[in-house]
Amino acid sequence: MSLLSALSIICGLMLHVSCSALNNRYCVPRKTVPYQNELKLFREEGISNYSTMLMRDELGVLLLGAREAIYALDINNISDRKSAVYWRVTEEKQMECTYKGKHAEVECRNYIRTLHRVNDTAMYVCGTNAFSPTCDYMTFANGQLRLLGKQEEGKGKCPFDPFQRYSSLMVGNDLYSATSINFLGSEPVVLRSSNLALRTEFKSSWLSEPNFVYMDFVGESFDSSDGDDDKVYLFFSENAMEYDFYSKVAVSRVARVCKEDMGGQRTLQRKWTSFLKARLDCSLPEPSLPPIVQDVFLLKHEDWRKSVFYAVFTPQSSLSQVSAVCAYSMSAIRDTFNEGKFKTPVAVETSHVKWVMYTGEVPVPRPGACINNVARKMGMNRSLDLPDKTLQFIRDRPLMDEAVRPLTGGPLLVKRGALLTRIVVDHVLALDGQRYAVMFIGTENGYVQKAVNYGGEMFIIEEIQLYENPEPISILRLSSSKGQLYAGSQFGAIQMPVSNCSRYNTCVDCILARDPYCAWDFSTEQCSSVSSLPPSSNTAMQSLKEGDISQCPQPELVAAVDVTLVPENNIQLPCQLHSNLAQVLWRFSDQTLHSNHKYYIYNGGLLILSASESDAGLYTCDSVEQMNGRTYNRTMAVYRLQLYFGPAAGESTTPGNEVSNSSGSVHALNTAAPGTGPNEGNEDLLHPETQSDSGRVTRLEVAVALLSLLCLSLMGVIFWIWSRGRWECLKFAKSSGESEAKRQSGEYMHIQNRTSEIKLLGPESVRPCSANNNHSAVDFKGNGEHHFTPMANISSLDGLGYINDESEI
Ligand SMILES: *[C@@H]1O[C@H](CO)[C@@H](O)[C@H](O)[C@H]1NC(C)=O
Ligand SMILES: *[C@@H]1O[C@H](CO)[C@@H](O)[C@H](O)[C@H]1NC(C)=O
Ligand SMILES: *[C@@H]1O[C@H](CO)[C@@H](O)[C@H](O)[C@H]1NC(C)=O
Ligand SMILES: *[C@@H]1O[C@H](CO)[C@@H](O)[C@H](O)[C@H]1NC(C)=O
Ligand SMILES: *[C@@H]1O[C@H](CO)[C@@H](O)[C@H](O)[C@H]1NC(C)=O
Ligand SMILES: *[C@@H]1O[C@H](CO)[C@@H](O)[C@H](O)[C@H]1NC(C)=O
Ligand SMILES: *[C@@H]1O[C@H](CO)[C@@H](O)[C@H](O)[C@H]1NC(C)=O
């Protein structure tokens, strides 16, 4: 019985792997750029939570708000601090806060949450100030930041709770904020602080335990044929009122208010008369509860009608690890609010209310509409003039019946693995004269994913590790003009260029990267930034949609590296691919190698176990990459194994190459396995940029390889059982493979091949065994893509139960 359950565990692990392999095409960035010290970092010892930013291009500074500190940093080099001010909580405030049951060192501090421009020199700043939100003015003049010490009440402008999501926006002299107005965080408001302050009604039909994430302004009065008003759009999630569920279900919303709203005369006095909200639809490929909006970015277009909102969604259930990006056109949102039907509550049983589509007559002027030509014609120039009928209608029915559908019908991007947190989008002019929306998406583990959607094809150009330790990116800002990205986390702020074309050092690599910022320049033979090319330069090439390398010059032949073969030793031949999407193909005198008892193909190369004389010969490592149905083969490394006629094996005189010194015991190899540092002079073959890092990984992987041998016999048993059709999980593997194929039939062959490989002895299937041996921390792609649940957790579950769990994810 215990053997059986052990087998079922491994079966479960293998399924896990094969499932993520099936989905790889949808979420794997082509390139992973590990943490580099070159990125400019700003942090100060003892200060944390760098999560508020304000770019002041004209002042040449980035203002950065942290816990009890605000910095003015050089916008071109954030490591260069121009000035700082500290705004600490008073002891008295901290005591007061502690008495109310809050944590003195965590909650009862002053977290800077609000930073807005007021005029050329002044800024408006608010902090949580030990659960007693306070605001102040701040100036930056003569290189010095200064707080004016005005200590304005910050209730409603800034949250009490430093952990609460919130959003605010300065429009002219008016501060729009969406947060809780009380200590307990139970009274949410959307507030405009101005000469005529307005807020939302305290009704759960308006806001029900909301989580505010984003606000932006759209100047819709410009060039408006119906005399419409400017608006502020707000994105948040809240408890759904439109679903009949036993438990609470959250939904994502977009809401808006009109800039010139002045509230009602009797009804809705000092309340918004134009607060309308609609559900945001972003359906994930797998059935699930509605995903939750985490961040939004408005990609502005000269014509506001063509502006697009990009939104990041994460699953509501913590079981799932699939995030998505959906985009919404300004016009779709506008149509929903301006023309859509309303929802209305109806009492179905005593105390139970159901929200259904409202089919009765809608009063004129239309409830929730801004003052426009229609209203003006009726003699209503201000919201104060609106009739009670219109106002009562909107007070009781702020929700639109229809959800706003994404621009492309479904998500632009679906990503498995570490959850996405923040997004900014750049509009990049490419060589073909078109503009492409490049998304930069921060993750929970400190990476930025750089992605484009080429006509429905999701493509993640690269993922860049910004923080050495995995930590959530809590703010992301883009300066399109400077080509810089600014990220913040608990640990510090990072500045990163939007592209680094010099990372691609061959024409093929440059073109296959499909990065709209980069083009291959034939005149300099470099991958160069498009913006740095001289205008009307016609020596550069891009192939963004196709990734067509046919115009690239033939790559130079790769010189063979001589390696000495010492019989009975293990031989390691490194080979690093340029792309995560490529598959490695090892050949030995025209015969394709697979992982088996003799060879182990791992991420960084090939391991020949206990070599013998017959292994002498030529080994070729090819990278095979699929791009839009085309296959690109490229030889990455060639090794010539030659028999060594020196002292007997095991004597420590083995020549310097990748020939291991020990004779195959796990422990010996684990400690004695060489790093990837090859002979001098061959370094260009072997990616110098990743060597230092891969040395460590390689050692682990080699150990994994040997451990995996122990698993092989077990695998054999599993396969035997599989072939007898005894295991439910095979059915599952098949059916998930098929449904995937339906979705993307073009990938079908590719996936099938890969799955069958894994079922047998593919390298991935071997890896999970290592999870049993404290190597679960080995992260083969460096980004937490492959989560191998440690065995300890699984063994408490019964095998098939685990498989069922997997099918839910
Ligand atoms: C950025 O500023 C830091 C601190 O002043 C300085 O050490 C560094 O050299 C600067 N980097 C560049 C590229 O100017
Ligand atoms: C900027 O705003 C501040 C605060 O409202 C005000 O005191 C100051 O006079 C303004 N400065 C200018 C140049 O308008
Ligand atoms: C602030 O940073 C600390 C770690 O430096 C973290 O534990 C805490 O959760 C952060 N607080 C907020 C509000 O993000
Ligand atoms: C509305 O504005 C128009 C033109 O500005 C004016 O003629 C009219 O009297 C105003 N109506 C009210 C009720 O104020
Ligand atoms: C760009 O990439 C190259 C090669 O990896 C690296 O040396 C350089 O420091 C990078 N530049 C920046 C600004 O990150
Ligand atoms: C590339 O590799 C594949 C897979 O081994 C092979 O079938 C194909 O013929 C190769 N194509 C070229 C152009 O070498
Ligand atoms: C071979 O291994 C022994 C111990 O296992 C070690 O002392 C020796 O330095 C190694 N030689 C080489 C060339 O790595």
mmCIF file of all heavy atoms in Angstrom, residues 577-615:
data_model
loop_
_atom_site.group_PDB
_atom_site.id
_atom_site.type_symbol
_atom_site.label_atom_id
_atom_site.label_comp_id
_atom_site.label_asym_id
_atom_site.label_seq_id
_atom_site.Cartn_x
_atom_site.Cartn_y
_atom_site.Cartn_z
ATOM 1 N N LEU A 577 21.016 27.658 -23.960
ATOM 2 C CA LEU A 577 20.233 28.194 -25.066
ATOM 3 C C LEU A 577 19.943 29.670 -24.817
ATOM 4 O O LEU A 577 19.897 30.121 -23.681
ATOM 5 C CB LEU A 577 18.934 27.414 -25.215
ATOM 6 C CG LEU A 577 19.089 25.915 -25.430
ATOM 7 C CD1 LEU A 577 17.748 25.293 -25.756
ATOM 8 C CD2 LEU A 577 20.086 25.605 -26.532
ATOM 9 N N HIS A 578 19.711 30.401 -25.902
ATOM 10 C CA HIS A 578 19.412 31.825 -25.777
ATOM 11 C C HIS A 578 17.957 32.073 -25.411
ATOM 12 O O HIS A 578 17.586 33.184 -25.099
ATOM 13 C CB HIS A 578 19.690 32.526 -27.100
ATOM 14 C CG HIS A 578 21.137 32.813 -27.326
ATOM 15 N ND1 HIS A 578 21.866 33.553 -26.451
ATOM 16 C CD2 HIS A 578 21.977 32.445 -28.312
ATOM 17 C CE1 HIS A 578 23.110 33.649 -26.904
ATOM 18 N NE2 HIS A 578 23.201 32.972 -28.021
ATOM 19 N N SER A 579 17.142 31.047 -25.550
ATOM 20 C CA SER A 579 15.713 31.270 -25.427
ATOM 21 C C SER A 579 15.066 30.185 -24.587
ATOM 22 O O SER A 579 15.387 29.010 -24.719
ATOM 23 C CB SER A 579 15.102 31.282 -26.830
ATOM 24 O OG SER A 579 13.721 31.070 -26.757
ATOM 25 N N ASN A 580 14.124 30.604 -23.752
ATOM 26 C CA ASN A 580 13.373 29.624 -22.971
ATOM 27 C C ASN A 580 12.403 28.846 -23.844
ATOM 28 O O ASN A 580 11.878 27.820 -23.430
ATOM 29 C CB ASN A 580 12.562 30.338 -21.883
ATOM 30 C CG ASN A 580 13.439 31.024 -20.876
ATOM 31 O OD1 ASN A 580 14.556 30.597 -20.620
ATOM 32 N ND2 ASN A 580 12.940 32.107 -20.302
ATOM 33 N N LEU A 581 12.112 29.374 -25.028
ATOM 34 C CA LEU A 581 11.146 28.704 -25.892
ATOM 35 C C LEU A 581 11.824 27.657 -26.762
ATOM 36 O O LEU A 581 11.159 26.874 -27.423
ATOM 37 C CB LEU A 581 10.439 29.715 -26.804
ATOM 38 C CG LEU A 581 9.723 30.855 -26.103
ATOM 39 C CD1 LEU A 581 9.053 31.762 -27.123
ATOM 40 C CD2 LEU A 581 8.685 30.316 -25.137
ATOM 41 N N ALA A 582 13.134 27.664 -26.773
ATOM 42 C CA ALA A 582 13.853 26.717 -27.618
ATOM 43 C C ALA A 582 13.985 25.380 -26.900
ATOM 44 O O ALA A 582 13.999 25.311 -25.680
ATOM 45 C CB ALA A 582 15.223 27.264 -27.959
ATOM 46 N N GLN A 583 14.069 24.337 -27.698
ATOM 47 C CA GLN A 583 14.352 23.030 -27.136
ATOM 48 C C GLN A 583 15.751 22.639 -27.553
ATOM 49 O O GLN A 583 16.209 23.003 -28.633
ATOM 50 C CB GLN A 583 13.340 22.015 -27.653
ATOM 51 C CG GLN A 583 12.020 22.139 -26.929
ATOM 52 C CD GLN A 583 10.989 21.215 -27.503
ATOM 53 O OE1 GLN A 583 10.775 21.204 -28.706
ATOM 54 N NE2 GLN A 583 10.375 20.437 -26.639
ATOM 55 N N VAL A 584 16.379 21.894 -26.691
ATOM 56 C CA VAL A 584 17.747 21.521 -26.988
ATOM 57 C C VAL A 584 17.759 20.187 -27.724
ATOM 58 O O VAL A 584 16.920 19.325 -27.474
ATOM 59 C CB VAL A 584 18.585 21.474 -25.692
ATOM 60 C CG1 VAL A 584 18.190 20.290 -24.827
ATOM 61 C CG2 VAL A 584 20.065 21.440 -26.012
ATOM 62 N N LEU A 585 18.662 20.074 -28.664
ATOM 63 C CA LEU A 585 18.781 18.837 -29.428
ATOM 64 C C LEU A 585 20.253 18.459 -29.428
ATOM 65 O O LEU A 585 21.078 19.162 -30.016
ATOM 66 C CB LEU A 585 18.276 19.082 -30.856
ATOM 67 C CG LEU A 585 18.267 17.878 -31.783
ATOM 68 C CD1 LEU A 585 17.129 16.946 -31.399
ATOM 69 C CD2 LEU A 585 18.107 18.324 -33.232
ATOM 70 N N TRP A 586 20.562 17.363 -28.752
ATOM 71 C CA TRP A 586 21.948 16.905 -28.717
ATOM 72 C C TRP A 586 22.119 15.791 -29.721
ATOM 73 O O TRP A 586 21.306 14.871 -29.785
ATOM 74 C CB TRP A 586 22.302 16.391 -27.316
ATOM 75 C CG TRP A 586 22.690 17.470 -26.357
ATOM 76 C CD1 TRP A 586 21.884 18.092 -25.464
ATOM 77 C CD2 TRP A 586 23.994 18.042 -26.191
ATOM 78 N NE1 TRP A 586 22.590 19.024 -24.753
ATOM 79 C CE2 TRP A 586 23.895 19.012 -25.182
ATOM 80 C CE3 TRP A 586 25.238 17.838 -26.818
ATOM 81 C CZ2 TRP A 586 24.986 19.776 -24.759
ATOM 82 C CZ3 TRP A 586 26.321 18.593 -26.397
ATOM 83 C CH2 TRP A 586 26.187 19.551 -25.389
ATOM 84 N N ARG A 587 23.195 15.884 -30.484
ATOM 85 C CA ARG A 587 23.463 14.814 -31.445
ATOM 86 C C ARG A 587 24.869 14.279 -31.214
ATOM 87 O O ARG A 587 25.789 15.019 -30.878
ATOM 88 C CB ARG A 587 23.328 15.336 -32.874
ATOM 89 C CG ARG A 587 21.882 15.502 -33.294
ATOM 90 C CD ARG A 587 21.768 16.102 -34.659
ATOM 91 N NE ARG A 587 22.302 17.464 -34.680
ATOM 92 C CZ ARG A 587 23.006 17.978 -35.688
ATOM 93 N NH1 ARG A 587 23.270 17.258 -36.754
ATOM 94 N NH2 ARG A 587 23.445 19.209 -35.628
ATOM 95 N N PHE A 588 24.984 12.963 -31.407
ATOM 96 C CA PHE A 588 26.284 12.312 -31.317
ATOM 97 C C PHE A 588 26.433 11.495 -32.580
ATOM 98 O O PHE A 588 25.658 10.561 -32.813
ATOM 99 C CB PHE A 588 26.329 11.426 -30.071
ATOM 100 C CG PHE A 588 27.524 10.515 -30.015
ATOM 101 C CD1 PHE A 588 28.814 11.021 -30.195
ATOM 102 C CD2 PHE A 588 27.374 9.159 -29.802
ATOM 103 C CE1 PHE A 588 29.912 10.191 -30.150
ATOM 104 C CE2 PHE A 588 28.476 8.319 -29.758
ATOM 105 C CZ PHE A 588 29.746 8.841 -29.935
ATOM 106 N N SER A 589 27.367 11.863 -33.400
ATOM 107 C CA SER A 589 27.553 11.298 -34.732
ATOM 108 C C SER A 589 26.217 10.916 -35.387
ATOM 109 O O SER A 589 25.892 9.745 -35.545
ATOM 110 C CB SER A 589 28.525 10.107 -34.712
ATOM 111 O OG SER A 589 28.247 9.253 -33.640
ATOM 112 N N ASP A 590 25.428 11.962 -35.690
ATOM 113 C CA ASP A 590 24.173 11.848 -36.441
ATOM 114 C C ASP A 590 23.078 11.075 -35.722
ATOM 115 O O ASP A 590 22.100 10.664 -36.323
ATOM 116 C CB ASP A 590 24.418 11.214 -37.824
ATOM 117 C CG ASP A 590 25.182 12.175 -38.701
ATOM 118 O OD1 ASP A 590 25.059 13.396 -38.461
ATOM 119 O OD2 ASP A 590 25.908 11.710 -39.590
ATOM 120 N N GLN A 591 23.261 10.884 -34.449
ATOM 121 C CA GLN A 591 22.223 10.161 -33.713
ATOM 122 C C GLN A 591 21.726 11.130 -32.636
ATOM 123 O O GLN A 591 22.520 11.780 -31.962
ATOM 124 C CB GLN A 591 22.876 8.897 -33.146
ATOM 125 C CG GLN A 591 22.117 8.233 -32.038
ATOM 126 C CD GLN A 591 23.055 7.374 -31.184
ATOM 127 O OE1 GLN A 591 24.222 7.169 -31.522
ATOM 128 N NE2 GLN A 591 22.548 6.921 -30.065
ATOM 129 N N THR A 592 20.406 11.262 -32.519
ATOM 130 C CA THR A 592 19.845 12.185 -31.536
ATOM 131 C C THR A 592 19.877 11.541 -30.150
ATOM 132 O O THR A 592 19.513 10.374 -30.011
ATOM 133 C CB THR A 592 18.397 12.536 -31.911
ATOM 134 O OG1 THR A 592 18.414 13.079 -33.233
ATOM 135 C CG2 THR A 592 17.814 13.543 -30.958
ATOM 136 N N LEU A 593 20.298 12.305 -29.175
ATOM 137 C CA LEU A 593 20.413 11.751 -27.831
ATOM 138 C C LEU A 593 19.170 12.086 -26.998
ATOM 139 O O LEU A 593 18.577 13.148 -27.153
ATOM 140 C CB LEU A 593 21.645 12.334 -27.132
ATOM 141 C CG LEU A 593 22.972 12.106 -27.844
ATOM 142 C CD1 LEU A 593 24.113 12.695 -27.022
ATOM 143 C CD2 LEU A 593 23.220 10.619 -28.085
ATOM 144 N N HIS A 594 18.779 11.169 -26.151
ATOM 145 C CA HIS A 594 17.690 11.414 -25.203
ATOM 146 C C HIS A 594 18.200 11.091 -23.812
ATOM 147 O O HIS A 594 19.127 10.310 -23.661
ATOM 148 C CB HIS A 594 16.491 10.527 -25.531
ATOM 149 C CG HIS A 594 15.918 10.792 -26.889
ATOM 150 N ND1 HIS A 594 15.142 11.884 -27.154
ATOM 151 C CD2 HIS A 594 16.044 10.115 -28.047
ATOM 152 C CE1 HIS A 594 14.808 11.878 -28.431
ATOM 153 N NE2 HIS A 594 15.346 10.814 -29.003
ATOM 154 N N SER A 595 17.563 11.646 -22.833
ATOM 155 C CA SER A 595 17.942 11.305 -21.460
ATOM 156 C C SER A 595 17.601 9.847 -21.209
ATOM 157 O O SER A 595 16.493 9.398 -21.508
ATOM 158 C CB SER A 595 17.163 12.175 -20.470
ATOM 159 O OG SER A 595 17.750 13.437 -20.392
ATOM 160 N N ASN A 596 18.553 9.112 -20.718
ATOM 161 C CA ASN A 596 18.296 7.721 -20.334
ATOM 162 C C ASN A 596 19.356 7.309 -19.320
ATOM 163 O O ASN A 596 19.952 8.166 -18.663
ATOM 164 C CB ASN A 596 18.268 6.815 -21.570
ATOM 165 C CG ASN A 596 19.551 6.931 -22.390
ATOM 166 O OD1 ASN A 596 20.589 7.322 -21.867
ATOM 167 N ND2 ASN A 596 19.469 6.595 -23.657
ATOM 168 N N HIS A 597 19.622 6.041 -19.224
ATOM 169 C CA HIS A 597 20.583 5.588 -18.217
ATOM 170 C C HIS A 597 21.985 6.109 -18.507
ATOM 171 O O HIS A 597 22.841 6.116 -17.657
ATOM 172 C CB HIS A 597 20.584 4.061 -18.159
ATOM 173 C CG HIS A 597 21.029 3.440 -19.460
ATOM 174 N ND1 HIS A 597 20.185 3.318 -20.550
ATOM 175 C CD2 HIS A 597 22.222 2.966 -19.856
ATOM 176 C CE1 HIS A 597 20.851 2.775 -21.551
ATOM 177 N NE2 HIS A 597 22.082 2.555 -21.177
ATOM 178 N N LYS A 598 22.189 6.552 -19.714
ATOM 179 C CA LYS A 598 23.541 6.926 -20.105
ATOM 180 C C LYS A 598 23.718 8.442 -20.216
ATOM 181 O O LYS A 598 24.754 8.996 -19.857
ATOM 182 C CB LYS A 598 23.827 6.276 -21.462
ATOM 183 C CG LYS A 598 25.171 6.621 -22.024
ATOM 184 C CD LYS A 598 25.701 5.479 -22.857
ATOM 185 C CE LYS A 598 27.118 5.760 -23.289
ATOM 186 N NZ LYS A 598 28.004 5.936 -22.165
ATOM 187 N N TYR A 599 22.689 9.097 -20.733
ATOM 188 C CA TYR A 599 22.773 10.550 -20.935
ATOM 189 C C TYR A 599 21.769 11.246 -20.045
ATOM 190 O O TYR A 599 20.671 10.739 -19.824
ATOM 191 C CB TYR A 599 22.451 10.903 -22.387
ATOM 192 C CG TYR A 599 23.356 10.244 -23.388
ATOM 193 C CD1 TYR A 599 22.874 9.223 -24.192
ATOM 194 C CD2 TYR A 599 24.686 10.646 -23.518
ATOM 195 C CE1 TYR A 599 23.703 8.605 -25.118
ATOM 196 C CE2 TYR A 599 25.508 10.038 -24.436
ATOM 197 C CZ TYR A 599 25.028 9.009 -25.234
ATOM 198 O OH TYR A 599 25.841 8.416 -26.135
ATOM 199 N N TYR A 600 22.141 12.403 -19.581
ATOM 200 C CA TYR A 600 21.162 13.231 -18.907
ATOM 201 C C TYR A 600 21.248 14.624 -19.519
ATOM 202 O O TYR A 600 22.276 15.291 -19.462
ATOM 203 C CB TYR A 600 21.419 13.289 -17.398
ATOM 204 C CG TYR A 600 20.464 14.214 -16.715
ATOM 205 C CD1 TYR A 600 19.097 13.942 -16.737
ATOM 206 C CD2 TYR A 600 20.895 15.378 -16.085
ATOM 207 C CE1 TYR A 600 18.192 14.787 -16.154
ATOM 208 C CE2 TYR A 600 19.987 16.238 -15.495
ATOM 209 C CZ TYR A 600 18.634 15.923 -15.534
ATOM 210 O OH TYR A 600 17.733 16.779 -14.961
ATOM 211 N N ILE A 601 20.137 15.033 -20.139
ATOM 212 C CA ILE A 601 20.098 16.356 -20.762
ATOM 213 C C ILE A 601 19.420 17.286 -19.776
ATOM 214 O O ILE A 601 18.279 17.056 -19.376
ATOM 215 C CB ILE A 601 19.324 16.305 -22.094
ATOM 216 C CG1 ILE A 601 20.050 15.371 -23.061
ATOM 217 C CG2 ILE A 601 19.192 17.704 -22.685
ATOM 218 C CD1 ILE A 601 19.280 15.063 -24.323
ATOM 219 N N TYR A 602 20.116 18.288 -19.333
ATOM 220 C CA TYR A 602 19.543 19.239 -18.377
ATOM 221 C C TYR A 602 19.600 20.636 -18.970
ATOM 222 O O TYR A 602 20.043 20.831 -20.112
ATOM 223 C CB TYR A 602 20.262 19.131 -17.029
ATOM 224 C CG TYR A 602 21.733 19.506 -17.064
ATOM 225 C CD1 TYR A 602 22.150 20.774 -16.676
ATOM 226 C CD2 TYR A 602 22.684 18.605 -17.501
ATOM 227 C CE1 TYR A 602 23.472 21.130 -16.717
ATOM 228 C CE2 TYR A 602 24.022 18.957 -17.551
ATOM 229 C CZ TYR A 602 24.410 20.208 -17.157
ATOM 230 O OH TYR A 602 25.716 20.565 -17.214
ATOM 231 N N ASN A 603 19.134 21.572 -18.180
ATOM 232 C CA ASN A 603 18.983 22.943 -18.647
ATOM 233 C C ASN A 603 20.269 23.530 -19.212
ATOM 234 O O ASN A 603 20.249 24.260 -20.189
ATOM 235 C CB ASN A 603 18.515 23.783 -17.462
ATOM 236 C CG ASN A 603 17.550 24.835 -17.898
ATOM 237 O OD1 ASN A 603 17.089 24.814 -19.034
ATOM 238 N ND2 ASN A 603 17.255 25.754 -17.017
ATOM 239 N N GLY A 604 21.368 23.204 -18.596
ATOM 240 C CA GLY A 604 22.617 23.844 -18.985
ATOM 241 C C GLY A 604 23.545 22.960 -19.798
ATOM 242 O O GLY A 604 24.692 23.343 -20.045
ATOM 243 N N GLY A 605 23.119 21.777 -20.216
ATOM 244 C CA GLY A 605 24.017 20.958 -21.011
ATOM 245 C C GLY A 605 23.685 19.479 -20.992
ATOM 246 O O GLY A 605 22.544 19.089 -20.737
ATOM 247 N N LEU A 606 24.724 18.711 -21.277
ATOM 248 C CA LEU A 606 24.567 17.258 -21.375
ATOM 249 C C LEU A 606 25.525 16.606 -20.398
ATOM 250 O O LEU A 606 26.673 17.030 -20.247
ATOM 251 C CB LEU A 606 24.900 16.805 -22.805
ATOM 252 C CG LEU A 606 25.038 15.299 -23.054
ATOM 253 C CD1 LEU A 606 23.683 14.622 -23.041
ATOM 254 C CD2 LEU A 606 25.729 15.039 -24.395
ATOM 255 N N LEU A 607 25.042 15.567 -19.757
ATOM 256 C CA LEU A 607 25.896 14.817 -18.851
ATOM 257 C C LEU A 607 25.990 13.394 -19.389
ATOM 258 O O LEU A 607 24.977 12.745 -19.630
ATOM 259 C CB LEU A 607 25.268 14.819 -17.460
ATOM 260 C CG LEU A 607 26.083 14.219 -16.332
ATOM 261 C CD1 LEU A 607 27.316 15.058 -16.067
ATOM 262 C CD2 LEU A 607 25.238 14.147 -15.068
ATOM 263 N N ILE A 608 27.226 12.954 -19.623
ATOM 264 C CA ILE A 608 27.423 11.578 -20.070
ATOM 265 C C ILE A 608 27.882 10.804 -18.843
ATOM 266 O O ILE A 608 28.910 11.123 -18.241
ATOM 267 C CB ILE A 608 28.479 11.492 -21.189
ATOM 268 C CG1 ILE A 608 28.073 12.409 -22.345
ATOM 269 C CG2 ILE A 608 28.628 10.056 -21.664
ATOM 270 C CD1 ILE A 608 29.153 12.567 -23.396
ATOM 271 N N LEU A 609 27.092 9.823 -18.483
ATOM 272 C CA LEU A 609 27.377 9.112 -17.251
ATOM 273 C C LEU A 609 28.316 7.954 -17.529
ATOM 274 O O LEU A 609 28.091 7.181 -18.471
ATOM 275 C CB LEU A 609 26.075 8.617 -16.627
ATOM 276 C CG LEU A 609 25.115 9.757 -16.266
ATOM 277 C CD1 LEU A 609 23.710 9.242 -16.030
ATOM 278 C CD2 LEU A 609 25.608 10.510 -15.050
ATOM 279 N N SER A 610 29.318 7.869 -16.737
ATOM 280 C CA SER A 610 30.276 6.775 -16.815
ATOM 281 C C SER A 610 30.685 6.492 -18.267
ATOM 282 O O SER A 610 30.310 5.481 -18.853
ATOM 283 C CB SER A 610 29.644 5.530 -16.169
ATOM 284 O OG SER A 610 30.609 4.522 -16.116
ATOM 285 N N ALA A 611 31.419 7.432 -18.812
ATOM 286 C CA ALA A 611 31.770 7.355 -20.235
ATOM 287 C C ALA A 611 32.659 6.155 -20.528
ATOM 288 O O ALA A 611 33.411 5.685 -19.663
ATOM 289 C CB ALA A 611 32.494 8.636 -20.633
ATOM 290 N N SER A 612 32.520 5.677 -21.753
ATOM 291 C CA SER A 612 33.396 4.587 -22.174
ATOM 292 C C SER A 612 34.062 4.979 -23.497
ATOM 293 O O SER A 612 33.745 6.020 -24.073
ATOM 294 C CB SER A 612 32.597 3.300 -22.332
ATOM 295 O OG SER A 612 31.665 3.470 -23.374
ATOM 296 N N GLU A 613 34.935 4.135 -23.974
ATOM 297 C CA GLU A 613 35.691 4.457 -25.189
ATOM 298 C C GLU A 613 34.771 4.744 -26.372
ATOM 299 O O GLU A 613 35.053 5.581 -27.208
ATOM 300 C CB GLU A 613 36.631 3.302 -25.543
ATOM 301 C CG GLU A 613 37.792 3.199 -24.584
ATOM 302 C CD GLU A 613 38.643 1.969 -24.871
ATOM 303 O OE1 GLU A 613 38.625 1.497 -26.020
ATOM 304 O OE2 GLU A 613 39.293 1.514 -23.926
ATOM 305 N N SER A 614 33.640 4.024 -26.399
ATOM 306 C CA SER A 614 32.743 4.186 -27.551
ATOM 307 C C SER A 614 32.059 5.546 -27.556
ATOM 308 O O SER A 614 31.378 5.894 -28.521
ATOM 309 C CB SER A 614 31.692 3.084 -27.543
ATOM 310 O OG SER A 614 30.955 3.165 -26.349
ATOM 311 N N ASP A 615 32.219 6.297 -26.505
ATOM 312 C CA ASP A 615 31.597 7.621 -26.470
ATOM 313 C C ASP A 615 32.451 8.691 -27.136
ATOM 314 O O ASP A 615 32.032 9.847 -27.229
ATOM 315 C CB ASP A 615 31.322 8.036 -25.023
ATOM 316 C CG ASP A 615 30.228 7.199 -24.403
ATOM 317 O OD1 ASP A 615 29.297 6.834 -25.147
ATOM 318 O OD2 ASP A 615 30.316 6.892 -23.203
#
